[in-house]
Amino acid sequence: MNDRILFNLLLISLSFCCCSAAVRTTKNEEIQKFTIQMIGYSPQKTDDYVAVSVEATPGYVVGFEPMAHADRVHHMLLYGCTMPASEQGFWRGMETCGWGGGSYILYAWARNAPNLVLPKDVAFSVGHEQDGIKYFVLQVHYAQPFAGEIHDFSGVTMHISQRKPMNLAAVMVFVSGTPIPPQLPAFQNNITCMFQSTTPIHPFAFRTHTHAMGRLVSAFFKHDGHWTKIGKRNPQWPQLFEAIPSKLTIGRGDQMSASCRFDSMDKNRTNFRAMGVDEMCNFYMMFHYDAKLDNPYPQGAICAQDSPQLMKDYPVDGFELLPSRPELEHHAHQSKVPFGIVQEAIHETLGGVKLGQVAGLAFNNQKELLVFHRAERVWDANTFDNYNILLEKSPIKDPVILVISYKGNQTRVEKKLGGGKFYLPHGIYVDKDDNVYTTDVGSHTVSKWRIEGNELKNVWTTGESMLPGPDEKHFCKPTGITRIGDQLYVTDGYCNSRVVVLDLNGKRIQQFGLPGEEAGQFNLPHDIVSDSAGRILVTDRENGRVQHMTTQGHVIEEFKSTMFTNIYSAASHEDYVFMVPGRPIMGHESEGIAVFVGRSGTGLIEYAFAPATRGKREQMGPQFGQPHCLRVSPDGDTIFVGDIAEGKARLWQFKVQREESMTSMSSISIGWPSLAPADAKYNSFFVLLAIAILVLGAYCVRRRCRNLENGGSLFDKRGFKPLRTEETVGFISDGSESD
């Protein structure tokens, strides 16, 4: 995509980057979802900061649902502002909130942190006159430019209630800018403030933040000469907001202090600045206060004073290192390899075979790719009559299934199959038993095959050959097929707008779907795949969406966007859903076509990629013509797109670029620290704050709440300066799944 494409993406994206919709009603309240997203941005430099803003919707934020991945995004910060730093809606740079008003951190994310659900009767007040939050500002930090043509739509979905809670939440940040001398094994940075408000506050969670030299960050408060720990943590671990296991109260006149311990032995010089190569010292304290009382920090809560005389009796525990946790440090390691989806090859021939229209793609259990193409036959306006009868009655004589192995951009044809057996290939699928299933829009049939040597042997065929129909014995141009358990799911297709369910012998079990635009209805179901949870994704082509459904046809969510009007094919890998249109938006034909990628459970687009460009339009390389099918390799490292453009039939090959060491971590299990027993009254208050078990994924971390399904200076009046390494919030509700 060139700059013009990006500009249009920005315009289109701005129209939907923030949205709210009622998604769940409970006994006592209605919860709304409100999403703020980046606008298809592609970072231009190392340490690139950008922000978007939108007017705040009034309510009380009870949860946050991030939509990003650490492969692409270093961190995200969500601010509540009286005024944004810019009136443009999108801007580059570190500014967040504008001058002359409040600046409040609402949420922070990094390193695939899961959803955050606040305790019962605790929420952030937003959009009201008294809370000072008139705008949401999402700041995104990209550590480095992407590789390839990637555009990012990361964001945060807030869960907003209209019921005022008993307690209002806020975040205080302790910040130090004291220089760190080089070549010291241990150096302390200290921060102290006196609490002056008459409104008591109750810390209930904390997180720590430094860059590479940090070894420990702690905080305590002193009341009547006695120190009480707020929290301490190694900042080289994933920087989750960690629950405080006991009830704390900080009152007027109490001293609040924090300390950062650094190791600068391998540094000849050090700097305290916002860039990732420099250093920072932050302790974040999340607290609540009685909603009936005055806000103790009406302009935002920050502590940035260095008062050594008040730290002389700081507890020794606040300086002592925690035991090593190699598995946490490994998880928190930040990738030095820029994320990207890089065009690796464009294949017009495979093994000496000139490709016809590439209609279908599938992987077998040997991780080989089956390419289902139409050889010399082309589907055009003269292929069928007005009754959907194929005019050419003879099968395609050449092999239409090419089984290929590949390594990098080098391919090898292992088998050539299917000559004389197909009329107009469309969809193909290989099951766990290496059975091959195909749909033929020319003959209106669905078939099961076995590969025996270099021969393709038919097991069964269902549907009356060459005769379309809407009844239980016929198909009409069936398009896609997949298997879940002992059942096959067929999209039928161009005429019937339904999904037909077969058993493994080809016998019909049921069908669902009708023509239309409503949920569960279709306007040309063009492709079908299954996800890792055994549900189906139906590409509803002319409705321009992918419907995520149960195997009974109940809609879970849909992926739909103003950035495309049609979707020809979809693929699923772990939590990601890949979608490709076959045509550009009318009136925007010159801007090309991209593959859009969403996250299961959100129904939203998270990023997009396209073939490589070289700057200006006249310098662009080859672009998609008419993408027809899309599949992701089992290891998630390679993406293939089949193109049926007239005279330019191609197989596109893209490589997913990410740090190799991250791909070997998928089987590692980490148990996050559990909450220590609290007193009985406070324990009920924290029933929702369970730190879940995380299984580290190479490509993604599952973090969606199934019960919410569908579903210089470090600080100034511009707002808090950006966090630089881990901006992770980690509370998970009891109903969430985080692997």
Side-chain angles (χ1 to χ4, degrees), residues 381-456:
N382 300 314
T383 302
F384 293 90
D385 67 13
N386 292 334
Y387 301 97
N388 295 306
I389 302 296
L390 185 70
L391 298 178
E392 175 56 67
K393 305 300 183 183
S394 61
I396 300 169
K397 65 179 185 304
D398 295 322
V400 295
I401 298 177
L402 304 178
V403 182
I404 68 167
S405 57
Y406 61 93
K407 185 176 182 180
N409 61 4
Q410 301 299 310
T411 62
R412 175 179 173 179
V413 175
E414 304 293 342
K415 296 179 186 293
K416 302 176 183 178
L417 307 168
K421 299 181 183 294
F422 296 92
Y423 293 85
L424 199 61
H426 203 281
I428 188 168
Y429 175 76
V430 182
D431 69 12
K432 61 184 179 65
D433 302 316
D434 274 328
N435 297 301
V436 178
Y437 302 88
T438 60
T439 64
D440 190 328
V441 291
S443 64
H444 310 286
T445 57
V446 176
S447 299
K448 178 178 179 179
W449 311 84
R450 292 290 298 175
I451 299 176
E452 298 180 3
N454 290 315
E455 294 294 325
L456 188 67

Side-chain angles (χ1 to χ4, degrees), residues 358-373 401-404 406 426-431 435-438 481-482 527-529 629-634 640 642 651:
V358 181
L361 299 169
F363 286 92
N364 63 19
N365 297 295
Q366 291 72 47
K367 300 181 180 179
E368 297 168 328
L369 179 68
L370 278 68
V371 180
F372 201 27
H373 74 121
I401 298 177
L402 304 178
V403 182
I404 68 167
Y406 61 93
H426 203 281
I428 188 168
Y429 175 76
V430 182
D431 69 12
N435 297 301
V436 178
Y437 302 88
T438 60
I481 185 168
T482 193
D527 193 12
I528 186 168
V529 295
C629 53
L630 165 75
R631 291 296 182 263
V632 181
S633 63
F640 288 95
L651 177 65

Side-chain angles (χ1 to χ4, degrees), residues 489-508:
Y489 295 81
V490 180
T491 43
D492 179 38
Y494 281 84
C495 323
N496 291 328
S497 291
R498 64 187 178 184
V499 174
V500 176
V501 185
L502 309 174
D503 67 17
L504 297 184
N505 294 314
K507 181 180 179 181
R508 296 199 184 204

Side-chain angles (χ1 to χ4, degrees), residues 258-491:
S259 178
C260 296
R261 176 171 173 171
F262 297 97
D263 180 349
S264 62
M265 281 298 291
D266 62 344
K267 305 295 182 183
N268 293 321
R269 61 184 297 272
T270 63
N271 289 304
F272 243 81
R273 293 186 304 177
M275 292 299 126
V277 295
D278 302 316
E279 196 49 81
M280 294 185 75
C281 169
N282 297 146
F283 184 93
Y284 288 82
M285 181 179 74
M286 189 176 286
F287 63 89
H288 65 78
Y289 62 94
D290 191 323
K292 296 188 296 295
L293 302 179
D294 292 336
N295 184 345
Y297 293 102
Q299 297 301 311
I302 184 168
C303 177
Q305 301 173 20
D306 183 3
S307 303
Q309 70 280 7
L310 297 178
M311 293 284 289
K312 291 180 179 178
D313 61 341
Y314 191 76
V316 175
D317 181 38
F319 301 129
E320 293 180 342
L321 298 179
L322 292 164
S324 177
R325 295 287 302 276
E327 76 281 12
L328 296 183
E329 292 161 20
H330 184 61
H331 175 47
H333 169 69
Q334 188 170 355
S335 171
K336 296 180 180 179
V337 176
F339 172 78
I341 298 180
V342 181
Q343 181 179 310
E344 197 164 36
I346 305 174
H347 305 284
E348 296 184 352
T349 63
L350 291 171
V353 177
K354 181 175 173 56
L355 291 175
Q357 293 180 321
V358 181
L361 299 169
F363 286 92
N364 63 19
N365 297 295
Q366 291 72 47
K367 300 181 180 179
E368 297 168 328
L369 179 68
L370 278 68
V371 180
F372 201 27
H373 74 121
R374 295 172 182 159
E376 82 286 351
R377 189 155 296 172
V378 175
W379 187 352
D380 58 25
N382 300 314
T383 302
F384 293 90
D385 67 13
N386 292 334
Y387 301 97
N388 295 306
I389 302 296
L390 185 70
L391 298 178
E392 175 56 67
K393 305 300 183 183
S394 61
I396 300 169
K397 65 179 185 304
D398 295 322
V400 295
I401 298 177
L402 304 178
V403 182
I404 68 167
S405 57
Y406 61 93
K407 185 176 182 180
N409 61 4
Q410 301 299 310
T411 62
R412 175 179 173 179
V413 175
E414 304 293 342
K415 296 179 186 293
K416 302 176 183 178
L417 307 168
K421 299 181 183 294
F422 296 92
Y423 293 85
L424 199 61
H426 203 281
I428 188 168
Y429 175 76
V430 182
D431 69 12
K432 61 184 179 65
D433 302 316
D434 274 328
N435 297 301
V436 178
Y437 302 88
T438 60
T439 64
D440 190 328
V441 291
S443 64
H444 310 286
T445 57
V446 176
S447 299
K448 178 178 179 179
W449 311 84
R450 292 290 298 175
I451 299 176
E452 298 180 3
N454 290 315
E455 294 294 325
L456 188 67
K457 301 289 187 180
N458 183 261
V459 179
W460 51 254
T461 294
T462 182
E464 187 172 350
S465 182
M466 311 304 288
L467 186 62
D471 58 25
E472 294 185 358
K473 294 183 178 181
H474 294 86
F475 295 98
C476 186
K477 297 179 180 174
T479 52
I481 185 168
T482 193
R483 174 181 171 179
I484 300 175
D486 291 333
Q487 294 182 341
L488 301 170
Y489 295 81
V490 180
T491 43

Side-chain angles (χ1 to χ4, degrees), residues 212-225:
M213 289 187 284
R215 297 295 178 263
L216 181 76
V217 183
S218 66
F220 288 71
F221 74 94
K222 185 165 67 172
H223 175 77
D224 289 341

Side-chain angles (χ1 to χ4, degrees), residues 6 10 14 37-42 48-53 86-93 138 142:
L6 173 58
L10 301 186
L14 279 171
Q37 288 183 260
M38 193 41 63
I39 55 174
Y41 187 68
S42 186
D48 202 355
Y49 285 84
V50 292
V52 292
S53 68
S86 171
E87 298 179 355
Q88 299 303 312
F90 165 81
W91 63 94
R92 294 180 172 89
L138 176 69
Y142 300 96

Side-chain angles (χ1 to χ4, degrees), residues 1-2 5 149 342-348 589-594 609-627 641 643 645 647-654:
M1 295 181 193
N2 60 5
I5 300 173
E149 197 71 18
V342 181
Q343 181 179 310
E344 197 164 36
I346 305 174
H347 305 284
E348 296 184 352
E589 289 81 3
S590 64
E591 294 161 12
I593 297 172
F609 71 90
T613 65
R614 292 189 293 275
K616 297 180 180 179
R617 182 77 195 173
E618 59 271 17
Q619 297 174 319
M620 290 176 64
Q623 300 294 296
F624 288 135
Q626 189 176 354
V641 177
D643 201 322
K648 294 183 179 179
R650 292 167 168 166
L651 177 65
W652 298 82
Q653 181 177 345
F654 298 87

